[in-house]
Amino acid sequence: MSFTVHRILASVADADERWAAIEDAPFNPRTGARQLTPDGAKRVVGQRVDRPVTVDEKVQAVADLTRDDEVAAQVATDLLKRPAVTEHVTSAGRVRVVTELTRDDTVAQQVTTDLLSRPAVARTTMRDDTTRMLVNRAQFDNSHETRDRIWKHARPACTPTSSWPPLV
């Protein structure tokens, strides 16, 4: 066993526990023997390994590498382009990602337009009473804004003796 392994295991305070870890060395599939490697010793004491093997170790390594926001943004963009990756994301996870990505109103408008241009999506969405009410309210507000804008542009053309809006 290497000095590196002994140095890593020196962080185990209890000598009996340390020797038990040495005697109960994990199976090393690369060598075909039971032995402690530096990564195996780090796993015993709970330190981050140099060569991650388990999913948790790999996730931790990726998290460490993507602490910089610029790197994280590029990695996230690249990962979301892979259909095999997005298949493994739960529906709740997908909704959370889309919600986070659409916090910007411009992005949200574009995504909503793209989604509602799909007839099946639009039909299903409009079956929800709350959604239908919100869309109707937005249409009403838009009509009201348009009327006000027209009124402001047309009002200067009116003479003081005429009434606005014109009576029919």
Side-chain angles (χ1 to χ4, degrees):
M1 187 174 330
S2 71
F3 174 75
T4 304
V5 171
H6 282 286
R7 186 177 49 183
I8 294 168
L9 290 176
S11 65
V12 177
D14 183 22
D16 293 334
E17 186 179 332
R18 183 177 22 206
W19 284 110
I22 291 171
E23 290 172 359
D24 188 29
F27 178 75
N28 185 343
R30 200 173 49 189
T31 63
R34 294 180 66 80
Q35 69 182 58
L36 271 173
T37 61
D39 279 344
K42 288 179 180 181
R43 285 184 188 94
V44 169
V45 298
Q47 295 177 5
R48 191 181 70 213
V49 297
D50 296 327
R51 292 181 186 88
V53 175
T54 68
V55 173
D56 290 337
E57 291 171 350
K58 291 176 182 180
V59 167
Q60 183 60 46
V62 169
D64 290 343
L65 290 171
T66 57
R67 287 180 198 245
D68 178 23
D69 288 343
E70 188 175 323
V71 173
Q74 183 64 44
V75 168
T77 301
D78 291 345
L79 289 175
L80 290 174
K81 289 179 186 175
R82 295 168 45 187
V85 172
T86 57
E87 285 178 5
H88 295 293
V89 179
T90 64
S91 293
R94 291 177 192 178
V95 169
R96 185 173 45 82
V97 167
V98 170
T99 301
E100 288 296 324
L101 293 174
T102 56
R103 287 191 187 277
D104 176 21
D105 285 345
T106 305
V107 173
Q109 289 169 357
Q110 183 64 47
V111 169
T112 303
T113 301
D114 292 348
L115 290 174
L116 290 177
S117 67
R118 296 163 48 185
V121 172
R123 187 173 41 255
T124 305
T125 302
M126 292 308 290
R127 288 183 185 144
D128 179 41
D129 291 336
T130 304
T131 302
R132 193 170 51 252
M133 182 199 64
L134 292 170
V135 168
N136 288 340
R137 180 65 195 187
Q139 288 174 330
F140 175 80
D141 291 344
N142 190 37
S143 296
H144 193 72
E145 287 176 13
T146 303
R147 186 195 70 196
D148 288 347
R149 196 170 43 249
I150 291 170
W151 192 4
K152 286 179 183 176
H153 289 295
R155 191 174 192 104
C158 296
T159 62
T161 58
S162 66
S163 63
W164 186 261
L167 301 174
V168 180

